[in-house]
Amino acid sequence: MLFKDLSMFFKRLESTTKRNEMMVILADLFNKAKVEEIDKIIYLLDGRVAPPYEKLEFGMSEKLIIRSLAQAFLKSILDIENMYKEIGDLGEVAEKLAEEKEEDMEVLEVFKVLYDIALLSGEGSVEAKVNKLGYLIRALSPLSSKYVVRIILGRLRLGVGEPSIMDALSYAKKGDKNLRQYIERAFNITSDLGYVAKVFWEGGVDALKKIKVEVGRPIRMALAERLSSAEEIIKKLGKCSVEPKFDGFRCQVHKNGTEIKIFSRNLEDNTHMFPDLVQGIIQQVSNEKVIFEGEAISYNPETNEFYPFQMTVQRKRKYDIDKMASMFPLKLFVFDLLYVDGEDLTPLPYLRRRERLEKIIIPGDTIFLTNYIITNNPVELQAFFEECITEGLEGIVAKRLDAPYQAGVRNFNWIKLKRSYQSQLSDTVDAVILGYFKGRGQRAKFGIGALLVGVYNPDEDRYETIAKIGTGPTEEEWVKFREILDEIKVEEKPHNVESQIIPDVWVYPKYVVEIQADEITKSPVHTCGKNGEKLGYALRFPRVIGFIREDKSAKDVTTVKEIIEMYKLQKKEIISDNSVEK
DNA sequence: TATGTCTGCCC
DNA sequence: ATTCTGC
DNA sequence: GCAGAATGGGCAGACATA
C-alpha cells in the first residue's frame, strides 16, 4: 500500500465522528492492506513504531518537528511557530506548506524511516532526527506530510483508539463485532495489538485462542472509574470491598523463580529502578510463577510516615538508584493476583482472587496486603474513607465483589473516591486570570486552550502564578472566556504580575475564577511564594469550577500567605502511622 | 564542566 | 491525572 | 457508559551549547 492511500483512509476517518462509520472505514483499510503491513499500520495509528512497552520512542516532538518543517519548507522557525499558533496543528502546517508530488512512498518505506528516526541516539542525533524528518516530509504529498507529523507527535486525532481498532478487525473478518472478545483477550494478555492483529490475520480466531499469559510479558492494567460520594458508590455496587488508595505508582509484578519484572501503569519495564522491591518480592512471595499488582509508595524509615508523591516519584530513575533507595525506601501494597503457576486468575471474581493473594504473600517488611472492608453501608464506607484520609492517603477504591480482573478497561468494577472529589473537603482557590494560551486540535478554533492564573501577594502588591488550567470549562465557556479576555488583553506582562511562564496572550489582572485542586505542591516554575532560589507553590490537578466569578474582584483572590497556610495544613493533616498495614 | 532545552513518563 | 463531548 | 481528545504539575535523562 502506498502511504498516500493510507493517508486517504486517515482522511476519511477524520471526516466522520460516527463510530460505526469509522469502524467500517478502518475495516476497509485492514482488508486492503498487505498482511505484513497490518501490524505496522496499527503501531502508526498509536503514534509509534513498536508496541507501547518497548522503549522505542521518536525522541522528537513539537520543537524538533518545527525545526524539520522550517528546514523542509525553507521557512524560519518563527514562521512555523506562528502558523502553528494560528492553526493549532503542526500536521496541518505541513499540509499547507507542502506541494503535490508525482512519486509516493510505500507505507513500509515510511515506516522504515520513522523507525530509523526512533533508533537515532547519541551525539549529533538531534540534528540527524531533524534532518531525516525534513527529508521525509519533502518527499511526501501534503496529506501524507500531515499524517506523518501527527504520527510523530502521537496525536493522529482520527477518533481511533485501540477499542475502535479491535472492533474494526472483527468487522473486517466477520462483518460484525463478535470476534472482538477474542481479539481483546489476546491483546490484554500480550499488550501488543499489532502482533495480535497479525496473528488474527494469519491464523484467525483459533490462533488467537492459543495465545497464553506469559510471565514476563505485561498484562494491560485494569483502571478505576470515579464517583464523588459514598452513597453513589453503594448505589452502584451494593455490597462491595473498600481498599485504601495510595499515592505512589502502580506496579505489576511478574515473578518467574528468581527472575522478577516490574511494569508501570503504562507497561514500561521499570524493574531496574526498584532493587529493594525485587529483594522483597523474592523473599516474600513463595510461588514460582506469579503475576500480581500493587501500589509502591516511599516512606520515611525513621518515622514510618508515607512520603508525598513528589518524593516517591524520584525513585523513577536510571542512576543513583541505591542511594535513593536508602533515602526513600518503598513499600508495595498489593491488591490483586492475576496469575499463579500456570493458572490465569483474571476470570475469577475479586474475592476469590483476594483469597488466593493472601496465600502467596509471606509477611515481611516490603510487601503488604492492602487492608479492606466489605460493606453495603455508605456510612461505613465514608468512615473508612475518612480514616484513610487521616492516615495521609489519597482516598479509597471500592471494588465489585464478583467482578473478574478486567484488563485494559476503565469501568465501574473499580471506583475511586478521592478527597478532592468531595468539595467540602477539598481546597478550592480563587485565582485571577493573568493570560491565556492558544488551543490545539479541537481547541484551536476557540483560539484558547488554557488559562494562566495567579494569586495575590499584598506585601508586594502583585500577582504570582500558581497554575495553568486547561480543563473544566465547556466549549461554550471557552468561547466566552476568549471574548471576555480579549477585551482586556495587554501587549506586555503587566508590572504587577510575577511570572516565569509566558502565555500567548497577557491580560490585565481582573477576572476571578474558582480553581479546584487535589493538593498544593512545591513548584520550580510557579512564582507563588517563590523567594530567590526557593521553590514556589503550585496546584496539583487544577481545574476550573464554574465560570468567571462576578462577585469577586482581583484583589479578593486567595493570597500567597493563605496558600502557604494551606500547604502547611495539608502536611499536618498527614499523621501517618501506617496503621493500614496488616 | 555547568546550564539550558526538550522529551517522555509518572501522577 | 481531570474534564468535556459525540455516539 | 464508552471512547477519544483536550488539558494540568513535575521529575529524570539526553543532548546541545555556553
Side-chain angles (χ1 to χ4, degrees), chain A residues 174-421:
Chain A
K174 190 157 176 288
D176 60 41
K177 298 184 190 176
N178 289 335
L179 301 183
R180 162 146 172 197
Q181 52 178 316
Y182 304 105
I183 298 163
E184 193 165 357
R185 183 191 156 276
F187 178 38
N188 285 339
I189 62 182
T190 59
S191 303
D192 183 347
L193 191 50
Y195 165 77
V196 168
K198 206 167 135 209
V199 169
F200 180 50
W201 232 244
E202 288 167 349
V205 174
D206 290 340
L208 289 183
K209 284 180 181 164
K210 287 196 189 107
I211 295 178
K212 295 249 154 42
V213 173
E214 252 179 75
V215 180
R217 186 161 198 178
I219 294 174
R220 298 179 69 230
M221 299 208 194
L223 303 170
E225 268 292 353
R226 292 173 303 173
L227 285 176
S228 51
S229 74
E231 288 75 21
E232 288 174 272
I233 289 175
I234 295 298
K235 204 172 134 197
K236 193 103 187 170
L237 297 182
K239 194 169 163 191
C240 59
S241 162
V242 188
E243 304 175 357
K245 187 176 192 305
F246 300 86
D247 192 9
F249 22 71
R250 183 87 171 261
C251 291
Q252 185 178 88
V253 177
H254 290 234
K255 174 179 185 286
N256 191 350
T258 53
E259 221 173 286
I260 309 294
K261 278 193 180 182
I262 301 173
F263 296 100
S264 74
R265 203 200 99 159
N266 302 315
L267 310 180
E268 302 281 331
D269 184 350
N270 286 344
T271 312
H272 64 281
M273 301 173 185
F274 311 126
D276 43 348
L277 289 187
V278 170
Q279 265 311 105
I281 291 158
I282 289 172
Q283 286 165 7
Q284 291 184 249
V285 182
S286 48
N287 301 55
E288 270 296 292
K289 291 181 149 201
V290 188
I291 303 175
F292 62 94
E293 270 179 28
E295 187 87 2
I297 181 169
S298 68
Y299 66 99
N300 180 335
E302 312 282 313
T303 64
N304 256 357
E305 285 173 336
F306 291 125
Y307 280 131
F309 183 74
Q310 265 177 309
M311 302 277 210
T312 300
V313 79
Q314 292 179 56
R315 289 296 311 272
K316 187 186 154 2
R317 58 172 47 248
K318 188 171 171 183
Y319 305 108
D320 297 323
I321 288 171
D322 290 335
K323 190 177 120 205
M324 294 305 272
S326 64
M327 284 170 69
F328 305 128
L330 293 173
K331 289 184 182 181
L332 181 65
F333 290 90
V334 299
F335 52 73
D336 217 318
L337 180 61
L338 285 69
Y339 178 96
V340 181
D341 298 329
E343 191 185 352
D344 176 5
L345 302 190
T346 58
L348 294 187
Y350 164 83
L351 273 183
R352 299 275 298 113
R353 299 199 306 279
R354 210 33 238 216
E355 285 166 17
R356 298 281 293 271
L357 178 63
E358 282 165 27
K359 285 184 194 144
I360 70 152
I361 303 292
I362 303 162
D365 53 14
T366 306
I367 319 239
F368 302 87
L369 291 158
T370 54
N371 191 11
Y372 70 99
I373 61 163
I374 290 181
T375 182
N376 59 4
N377 182 347
V379 178
E380 266 179 53
L381 197 159
Q382 180 70 21
F384 187 79
F385 168 79
E386 277 163 21
E387 215 178 287
C388 291
I389 297 300
T390 354
E391 279 160 5
L393 305 177
E394 242 192 332
I396 57 97
V397 182
K399 296 184 174 177
R400 194 186 290 280
L401 296 179
D402 58 0
Y405 183 91
Q406 285 208 295
V409 289
R410 187 187 298 283
N411 63 26
F412 287 92
N413 288 339
W414 292 3
I415 304 174
K416 59 182 162 180
L417 175 62
K418 287 169 59 169
R419 165 202 182 85
S420 66
Y421 305 158

